[in-house]
Amino acid sequence: MKKLTVILLALAFVSCTKNDIAAGLETYRDIYTEAPEEGENILPYIPPEEEVTVTGILSSDFTIYDGKYYFELKHAFDKGGGVRMLAYADVETGNYGIVCQDHLCPHNSPDVCKYADLGFFCFTDKPGVFYAVRLQYPNHLCRVDLNNDTVERIRTADWGRKINSYSWNLLGYTDGRMYYSESVYYTENRMTQNERKIFCVDDKTLEISEIEMPGEDWPYQGKQPRFIWNGYFYIFTDNKIVRTDPTYTDTTVIADMGMTVSQWYLDTAAGELYFSCVERENNTGSVYVVKDGGAPEKLELPHEEIYTFTINQSRIYYTSYDPVYLGVSGQARLNPGKEDQYLTYDYTGGKLYAVDRDNPSGEPELVYEVSGIPLNRALKLEDAVVLGDYLYVDEVDITREVIDGTEYVYFDYSRDVSKLRIGLKDGSAVRIVFE
């Protein structure tokens, strides 16, 4: 059994608005004081009293498969950017680790570790087998088999032309096929063009076939699906959620919101699609649900403005807008004279709430409140996942740079990213790191 480290926390969050910039610059160092030294307390991992069955929930925000929660960690082995590594935590036993099981591997580069810098994961129906994209130029699609310790390249990004930028989206796995999309930007006749294609991979033969795109009269031409489920593509576009089959003949508008969809969660067992519409510039946001093919229903959560949310089979966890000002963002360096437009906040206020899914307007429970973190680190509650009695949350660097007398502050995902597992009942915490 691994030791759990109790993180001693001593940081108070204080809300500010954009009109409080000067006051924030004077006082935030007093507010974000250094946390005390960490102490150790050996506490057993307590398995969940009820089975955690979030495997039936699809989302781009987390991956839970075969009883394990999968997530990315990152570590900077040198002065450059960090190297990614897929890690996991077993929900039942509490054991955790990284997918590369070679204890002699340095993991510091994809040149020496075949599991380094893989991203955009899509699991199959075979335990330990998934698809991923090698995030190394040129990008290529891989099939990973942890059972046989193999990473097989099956496609390299190549459209037969010079490409300015390239992106992938692994849409999902169904009926023995993995669907994914490729999107490229290129310059032609002095104009930047964007083109998308959708493919599927036969998991038995690894043959790749292209899905024919709809004709020019299709109203959502060129829009990219977010995911596939039950034989349908789901497309978030033009403030709408659209469902269509791969032939683009059976198309239905599920929701017309007038706002851009931010997060989404599909409970495949209940047939319920949860999603949020958020306007970060105005500090506003709401959560909606579509049940049984009906119209979208706004959830009347106890807090009016919702920043982020996540769900499991029984509860909705959310953060509300409660901005805490940290300082001028590093992006302001590129826009001198407009520092007041580029600011760094923790919008969550360091609080995570929960309500029951069957009574979302009921009394909320404050399940976690950040009360202290090291001065140079931040817990990203907006990305929180709750499994059983444990909260999993990213811990990232806060970088501060003083250039020409101005201090710039920003969350730095490019180097070290660890995962904190916090016991919501016993207060225990363990930091899961890749190094």
Side-chain angles (χ1 to χ4, degrees), residues 120 133 137-140 155-159 163-168 180-185 199:
F120 304 105
V133 175
Y137 184 82
N139 294 163
H140 48 269
R155 176 173 169 81
T156 300
D158 182 10
W159 281 34
I163 296 172
N164 299 339
S165 64
Y166 194 97
S167 64
W168 306 72
Y180 73 96
S181 65
E182 301 178 13
S183 179
V184 299
Y185 289 86
F199 302 86

Side-chain angles (χ1 to χ4, degrees), residues 26-64:
E26 294 173 356
T27 63
Y28 85 90
R29 282 193 179 279
D30 296 327
I31 297 169
Y32 288 82
T33 55
E34 193 76 50
E37 294 292 328
E38 296 178 5
E40 285 194 354
N41 187 10
I42 300 175
L43 295 173
Y45 177 85
I46 302 174
E49 295 180 0
E50 299 180 0
E51 183 181 1
V52 179
T53 56
V54 289
T55 51
I57 296 178
L58 301 180
S59 177
S60 59
D61 290 347
F62 62 64
T63 299
I64 300 174

Side-chain angles (χ1 to χ4, degrees), residues 237-403:
T237 178
D238 302 326
N239 302 328
K240 298 181 178 68
I241 300 178
V242 179
R243 184 186 66 200
T244 186
D245 69 313
T247 66
Y248 298 93
T249 56
D250 182 7
T251 302
T252 302
V253 176
I254 296 176
D256 187 351
M257 304 307 300
M259 296 175 63
T260 302
V261 173
S262 179
Q263 294 176 281
W264 62 269
Y265 293 84
L266 176 65
D267 186 332
T268 60
E272 298 175 352
L273 176 64
Y274 290 79
F275 62 92
S276 64
C277 293
V278 173
E279 289 184 343
R280 296 190 176 184
E281 291 184 357
N282 298 320
N283 289 4
T284 62
S286 301
V287 178
Y288 301 83
V289 63
V290 175
K291 298 180 179 180
D292 301 322
E297 303 173 23
K298 180 180 177 181
L299 299 184
E300 299 299 333
L301 296 171
H303 292 77
E304 291 186 1
E305 305 301 347
I306 307 304
Y307 181 49
T308 58
F309 81 105
T310 184
I311 69 171
N312 58 24
Q313 257 69 24
S314 60
R315 310 195 84 186
I316 300 171
Y317 297 86
Y318 68 91
T319 66
S320 64
Y321 275 98
D322 185 13
V324 176
Y325 177 66
L326 272 74
V328 178
S329 169
Q331 295 181 347
R333 293 169 54 186
L334 304 177
N335 298 272
K338 299 181 179 180
E339 286 78 7
D340 61 337
Q341 299 179 27
Y342 298 91
L343 308 174
T344 300
Y345 291 90
D346 175 2
Y347 286 96
T348 70
K351 299 180 179 67
L352 181 69
Y353 300 92
V355 292
D356 293 337
R357 275 176 57 173
D358 58 3
N359 184 26
S361 61
E363 185 68 23
E365 178 186 358
L366 178 61
V367 295
Y368 183 71
E369 181 175 7
V370 178
S371 58
I373 48 177
L375 183 63
N376 63 340
R377 301 288 279 175
L379 298 186
K380 303 298 289 180
L381 280 185
E382 56 265 45
D383 302 319
V385 173
V386 179
L387 303 176
D389 296 323
Y390 291 89
L391 166 69
Y392 293 82
V393 60
D394 282 346
E395 185 186 46
V396 302
D397 286 338
I398 296 179
T399 296
R400 294 175 172 84
E401 297 178 322
V402 178
I403 301 176

Side-chain angles (χ1 to χ4, degrees), residues 3-5 7 96 419-422 428-432:
K3 291 183 178 181
L4 300 186
T5 301
I7 309 300
Y96 55 84
K419 184 75 71 173
L420 221 60
R421 184 179 69 199
I422 300 169
S428 64
V430 59
R431 180 175 288 106
I432 304 173

